[in-house]
Amino acid sequence: MSEQKTLKVTIPLLLEKKLAGEKITALTAYDYPTAKIVDQAGIDLILVGDSLGMVVLGYENTIPVTMEEMLHHTKAVTRGVQRALVVGDMPYFSFHLSPEETVRNAARFLKEAGAKAVKIEGATRKRLKLIETLVEAEIPVMGHVGLTPQSLYHLGRFKVRGNREEEARRIVQGAEKLQNAGAFAVVLECVPLELARVVTQKLTIPTIGIGAGPECDGQILVFHDLVGYSNGYLPKFVKRFIELNKLLPPAIEAYVSEVKAGSFPADEQSYHLKKDIDLEEVLSVQKK
Ligand code: KIV
């Protein structure tokens, strides 16, 4: 592995990348083997996103995802990661009741699951205050504006955000306020690239885009979308780099036919009795 690939990614390193104009690569992961592959491929930041609920757990949206589910999967991911910065996503209702509960939940990502930071959706006044409180408690926070899936019931449906002046202003100001509150990076989800460009130029912290065009400081995608292992609606911003949904069924079907035909397992996948064991003897002892 090259030095570039083995050097642990830290928050200062992400800031250096922005200053150097070097793109930050980010991807979600939710389990140990995937985290290992993603980390070894040289990804800088792994987000254990609450998209877990939709792409792995089969929920309709991210609202039902619990802290326990997030911690369970974050633990699996950190076990597989040596280099990337792992960020745990604060699920819906883990930061809504009180600052105390928010800090306690966020700290669990660091203390129990081994993440190095958390992500929180939104930039309302209350949310910004919470982020200040978390940063004060030494918990690094990544912000998230634009389309925020946990606001689904408010928004009605997932669509591009920031096409109206008031909304565009709220996104730009929200990102700036997140930076002022101490966030180390901001995810910009599903916003016009012109808006993402302005935000990226204004901020000193990195912007990580998903459906926000090529001028963000970094890019993130949901792993299952990238590898073609997710179902249902696929947003315009997703590019499938491989089609696992198409590659896997023929392999499973081949397994089913071979088992049915008796051709799997073949001799090469089978064990033989050691020569010094007398099967006759084994059988005769069994009878006694
Ligand atoms: O939950 C998630 O995966 C996310 C990314 C899409 C940024 O929030």
Side-chain angles (χ1 to χ4, degrees):
M1 234 192 226
S2 68
E3 199 188 323
Q4 172 93 1
K5 275 193 168 180
T6 50
L7 198 67
K8 274 193 194 306
V9 179
T10 58
I11 289 168
L13 189 74
L14 297 180
L15 296 170
E16 276 172 33
K17 280 188 179 236
K18 170 160 181 136
L19 279 175
E22 203 184 312
K23 291 284 185 193
I24 295 165
T25 56
L27 203 51
T28 69
Y30 317 95
D31 60 48
Y32 173 78
T34 310
K36 251 183 128 155
I37 290 175
V38 168
D39 188 49
Q40 285 172 5
I43 287 282
D44 297 317
L45 185 151
I46 296 180
L47 172 70
V48 187
D50 65 349
S51 48
L52 160 80
M54 295 172 79
V55 295
V56 173
L57 302 179
Y59 297 142
E60 204 174 308
N61 54 51
T62 58
I63 302 297
V65 178
T66 64
M67 267 303 293
E68 299 313 317
E69 286 165 341
M70 287 305 302
L71 290 173
H72 178 75
H73 286 269
T74 306
K75 284 179 195 174
V77 166
T78 56
R79 278 180 218 124
V81 170
Q82 291 189 354
R83 176 187 172 271
L85 187 90
V86 177
V87 180
D89 207 1
M90 299 281 289
Y92 175 69
F93 222 57
S94 66
F95 54 93
H96 300 70
L97 289 181
S98 69
E100 289 74 20
E101 200 190 39
T102 304
V103 174
R104 195 171 299 116
N105 281 331
R108 291 186 73 192
F109 275 101
L110 274 59
K111 287 173 77 81
E112 294 175 35
K116 299 289 188 293
V118 298
K119 176 170 84 60
I120 289 195
E121 288 186 12
T124 58
R125 204 155 2 114
K126 211 166 162 192
R127 222 52 67 87
L128 294 162
K129 197 95 200 82
L130 284 177
I131 291 169
E132 278 175 17
T133 309
L134 291 173
V135 173
E136 175 62 29
E138 311 295 356
I139 301 170
V141 179
M142 182 156 82
H144 184 161
V145 290
L147 175 63
T148 48
Q150 289 174 16
S151 321
L152 173 64
Y153 299 150
H154 257 315
L155 303 174
R157 66 189 177 91
F158 294 148
K159 67 171 173 97
V160 179
R161 297 282 138 189
N163 266 321
R164 280 173 302 140
E165 265 180 35
E166 178 45 35
E167 203 173 51
R169 193 171 305 117
R170 223 176 312 130
I171 291 168
V172 177
Q173 288 177 354
E176 284 181 311
K177 286 177 184 168
L178 283 167
Q179 171 171 290
N180 295 338
F184 71 88
V186 181
V187 170
L188 298 178
E189 179 164 355
C190 231
V191 299
L193 69 89
E194 295 82 0
L195 200 57
R197 177 193 298 141
V198 169
V199 175
T200 303
Q201 286 166 355
K202 271 179 171 281
L203 297 193
T204 53
I205 57 170
T207 57
I208 310 291
I210 173 162
E215 294 176 53
C216 295
D217 297 304
Q219 295 293 329
I220 186 163
L221 275 182
V222 167
F223 175 83
H224 290 62
D225 288 343
L226 179 150
V227 300
Y229 198 28
S230 51
N231 301 298
Y233 170 72
L234 202 64
K236 170 188 162 87
F237 61 76
V238 171
K239 177 173 173 184
R240 293 229 196 266
F241 286 79
I242 183 177
E243 290 279 1
L244 283 191
N245 278 336
K246 292 192 181 131
L247 291 172
L248 292 178
I252 314 293
E253 280 156 24
Y255 167 73
V256 169
S257 346
E258 287 193 24
V259 169
K260 283 185 174 168
S263 56
F264 175 85
D267 199 51
E268 60 194 295
Q269 290 101 24
S270 305
Y271 301 103
H272 286 275
L273 206 56
K274 281 199 175 143
K275 291 215 168 43
D276 55 354
I277 290 179
D278 184 346
L279 200 51
E280 291 292 318
E281 189 61 27
V282 172
L283 291 175
S284 72
V285 170
Q286 244 184 1
K287 272 186 222 144
K288 280 176 201 165

